[in-house]
């Protein structure tokens, strides 16, 4: 059985794990938005056996994610639920009763439109338990500038593909996060000009 494969995930999963090991040290139930191939989910669920990892994505990716989960035989990872950021998240929870105390997303905020980035933070506000942790991996701009020539070229590629996508400004993301009740805990430098932002939802 051939599994859908992303070389980028293979390249970045160890560096991401080194941050998640600290950020999710007390976390029990992680929800991932945009699980893609499922490679991150399987790697992190295997290396962080104290937590349960809930995958999610658009339906188009469910088959690949399910295949990868099945082949992993891990018990602490769940088949994808359908979360399209255009819609309400099907968690059936209020802030007070949600058991999601961790949310992870990688390489999504520059793919989706700014409207959906705002919807993402609304979803985090409504579904992440108070005191829970949000980890976001991907490229960001600072002071309105690209952090590298390769990110500037990546932006051209993104816009050519979809004019509504694009590398987000860190400052705008932090503002949105604040309005969703989140505080920035750390902004971690990652290989290949990426960042891993860690936020905590205030009690
Ligand atoms: C570049 S891929 C990243 C996948 C994976 N997280 C990774 O790092 O390889 C972007 C992901 O965003 C998801 N996505 C795109 N539009 C979405 C939407 N409206 N709602 C939820 N996820 C969406 C895609 O299906 C895909 O899994």
């Amino acid at each position: 059985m051939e599994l859908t494969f992303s070389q980028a995930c293979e390249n970045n999963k160890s560096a991401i794990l080194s941050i998640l090991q600290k950020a999710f040290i007390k976390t029990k139930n992680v929800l991932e938005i945009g699980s893609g191939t499922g490679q991150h989910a399987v790697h992190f669920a295997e290396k962080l056996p104290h937590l349960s990892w809930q995958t999610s994505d658009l339906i188009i990716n469910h088959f690949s994610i399910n295949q990868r989960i099945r082949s992993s035989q891990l018990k602490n990872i769940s088949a994808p639920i359908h979360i399209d950021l255009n819609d309400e998240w099907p968690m059936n929870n209020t802030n007070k009763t949600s058991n999601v105390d961790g949310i992870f997303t990688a390489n999504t905020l520059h793919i989706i439109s700014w409207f959906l980035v705002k919807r993402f933070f609304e979803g985090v506000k409504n579904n992440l338990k108070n005191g829970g942790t949000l980890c976001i991996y991907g490229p960001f701009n600072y002071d309105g500038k690209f952090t590298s020539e390769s990110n500037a070229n990546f932006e051209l590629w993104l816009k050519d593909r979809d004019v509504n996508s694009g590398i987000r400004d860190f400052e705008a993301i932090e503002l949105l996060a604040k309005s969703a009740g989140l505080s920035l805990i750390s902004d971690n430098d990652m290989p290949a000009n990426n960042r891993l932002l860690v936020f905590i939802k205030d009690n």
Side-chain angles (χ1 to χ4, degrees):
M1 174 179 60
E2 202 160 308
L3 300 171
T4 313
F5 180 80
S6 152
Q7 187 58 50
C9 281
E10 281 314 293
N11 298 347
N12 60 35
K13 66 184 189 183
S14 299
I16 297 176
L17 177 67
S18 69
I19 304 295
L20 298 191
Q21 278 166 330
K22 291 171 250 158
F24 286 155
I25 193 164
K26 292 187 182 149
T27 305
K28 293 191 174 75
N29 296 297
V30 173
L31 169 67
E32 180 180 12
I33 302 296
S35 297
T37 62
Q39 277 160 271
H40 280 152
V42 164
H43 186 67
F44 302 146
E46 184 190 350
K47 303 290 183 193
L48 303 169
H50 67 281
L51 53 73
S52 296
W53 195 279
Q54 174 66 64
T55 57
S56 85
D57 210 322
L58 304 179
I59 296 289
I60 193 170
N61 285 332
H62 284 207
F63 181 74
S64 307
I65 299 168
N66 272 319
Q67 270 192 321
R68 193 168 287 278
I69 292 174
R70 255 185 246 118
S71 74
S72 79
Q73 300 194 336
L74 290 168
K75 298 275 180 271
N76 62 330
I77 181 166
S78 302
I81 54 173
H82 178 219
I83 295 187
D84 179 335
L85 293 167
N86 285 289
D87 307 322
E88 293 299 311
W89 299 9
M91 311 302 293
N92 243 347
N93 281 320
T94 66
N95 267 349
K96 289 201 177 100
T97 60
S98 170
N99 67 354
V100 172
D101 57 356
I103 293 178
F104 173 78
T105 197
N107 290 321
T108 47
L109 301 194
H110 61 272
I111 294 291
I112 58 178
S113 64
W114 183 246
F115 172 77
L116 288 188
V117 173
K118 291 199 259 184
R119 296 278 302 169
F120 168 77
F121 279 98
E122 277 168 37
V124 172
K125 183 179 176 186
N126 293 334
N127 294 284
L128 182 64
K129 211 170 170 173
N130 288 339
T133 303
L134 167 67
C135 294
I136 304 175
Y137 172 86
F140 291 97
N141 291 336
Y142 291 79
D143 297 325
K145 297 189 189 86
F146 297 109
T147 59
S148 65
E149 201 182 326
S150 67
N151 277 5
N153 289 334
F154 184 45
E155 174 84 359
L156 293 177
W157 180 85
L158 285 169
K159 292 284 188 203
D160 194 41
R161 196 182 138 271
D162 176 359
V163 74
N164 294 314
S165 64
I167 298 179
R168 307 300 169 196
D169 288 332
F170 163 80
E171 294 83 359
I173 293 295
E174 196 187 8
L175 262 185
L176 267 187
K178 267 192 190 142
S179 67
L182 300 153
S183 303
L184 183 73
I185 296 299
S186 62
D187 173 2
N188 302 276
D189 193 20
M190 304 298 280
N193 307 302
N194 286 299
R195 314 293 304 179
L196 205 161
L197 311 180
V198 182
F199 297 91
I200 298 281
K201 186 148 175 245
D202 302 327
N203 288 306

